[in-house]
Amino acid sequence: MSKSNLQNAQNKLLSWYEIHGRKDLPWRNTENIYHVYVSEVMLQQTQVKRVLEEYYFQFLQRFPSFATLANASLEEVFGMWSGLGYYRRAKNLHESAKLCANGLPQDLKSLQKLPGIGRYTASAICSFGYHQSVSVVDTNIARVLARYFGVEDAKEAYLWELADGFLNHSNPTSHNLALMDLGAMVCLPKNPMCEECPLVGGCKGASEPHKYYKVLSKKYENKKLHFGICERNGKIAMKRSHDGMYKDMLELPNIETSFCEKDLLGTFAHAVTKYRLEVHVYSLDFIEEDILWIAQDSLHKAGISSMTKKALKLYNGTKIFREGV
Ligand code: SF4
């Protein structure tokens, strides 16, 4: 690409961002690096709308700084993360806060040594937080670049090279945000709106965008889970998970079902990551495992998954009926 074509595309992209970009997002209007970091971690697997409406402000209100986050217990952090999913993010954020009492590092390499910070998050912090001249590649930007430069099955390393070459060093932060928004709002995975795209003039993929970005259908795994609920004096028997996606969180004990089919309270469907779960919930009179007795009304503060919440809701919904029998 010639220098003048490159500048032309960069300018069109910035002009589009001035009019259409999501410039009012709160994490784009702060110089507080902690706020930028929290937003980036929350946005890793969650939609902007959900983060904005349910988690970002609430989390910052409870933990307004690295110090307050570092001094909180992991249970409190999980409590504020409850329902957001991918709880390892919360654990990594908490661990990073403990390591960064004096603030986050300001270079890509040092940032990537912190728990849960990979190349994307490190670049996003450097670009959006520190306004450094570094490129950023997330899934939205990768899609735009692959189509614009006409690259089939592009390897990640090559996309970072393309992003470096395309970077507008006069205004790198807005350039990266503009590419991100273009991918999220115009260059969509299934139906890109090329006629509204500022890059359409030079885009190699405009005539056949799906040649350069294929929408892969997701493969799901079906699983059955069986949870037992045992209550004593208003306290519920819980276990601390030691592995898997709910590591370190409180969850209901998994049980063998052969002895208690008659105590089945109900089932519900739950989707998480690649799993489509059929969850069976049973009432237990006794429990032999090592368990923690947790008061029902303090469970939500300790951070439980939305699947556990659903199981408890089912249990409480049937309780009146069972006690009345
Ligand atoms: S012209 Fe179409 S395919 Fe090319 S970047 Fe824009 S929206 Fe994507």
Side-chain angles (χ1 to χ4, degrees), residues 231 233-236 293-304 312 316 319:
E231 180 176 355
N233 304 320
K235 293 183 176 177
I236 301 288
W293 290 102
I294 310 285
Q296 275 228 54
D297 52 9
S298 55
L299 269 173
H300 69 282
K301 288 189 210 141
I304 51 175
L312 287 166
N316 286 323
K319 200 165 151 184

Side-chain angles (χ1 to χ4, degrees), residues 144 147-148 182 186-188 192-194 197-200 203 205-206 209:
V144 175
R147 286 171 171 169
Y148 185 70
L182 194 69
V186 176
C187 192
L188 303 171
M193 300 183 284
C194 300
C197 179
L199 301 181
V200 67
C203 179

Side-chain angles (χ1 to χ4, degrees), residues 12 17-18 27 29 46 83 127 147 155 159 170-171 217 232 240 261 265 291 309 315:
K12 282 184 176 169
Y17 183 65
E18 273 307 307
W27 44 85
N29 291 288
T46 311
S127 177
R147 286 171 171 169
K155 298 274 180 293
L159 289 167
S170 322
N171 195 345
S217 55
R232 276 184 204 154
R240 181 80 61 196
E261 287 289 355
L265 299 175
I291 44 87
K309 275 186 195 164
Y315 169 75

Side-chain angles (χ1 to χ4, degrees), residues 189-256:
K190 283 189 183 161
N191 298 307
M193 300 183 284
C194 300
E195 65 287 355
E196 292 177 27
C197 179
L199 301 181
V200 67
C203 179
K204 291 197 176 142
S207 55
E208 33 182 358
H210 294 300
K211 182 177 172 189
Y212 302 106
Y213 178 84
K214 295 178 184 69
V215 181
L216 300 172
S217 55
K218 285 187 183 171
K219 288 204 174 89
Y220 295 113
E221 232 176 88
N222 295 316
K223 260 187 162 187
K224 278 187 188 177
L225 294 178
H226 305 271
F227 290 127
I229 301 188
C230 183
E231 180 176 355
R232 276 184 204 154
N233 304 320
K235 293 183 176 177
I236 301 288
M238 303 293 290
K239 285 179 67 182
R240 181 80 61 196
S241 174
H242 295 298
D243 49 29
M245 72 182 99
Y246 297 126
K247 188 168 185 287
D248 298 314
M249 295 181 72
L250 290 171
E251 59 178 16
L252 291 161
N254 267 294
I255 56 165
E256 292 290 333

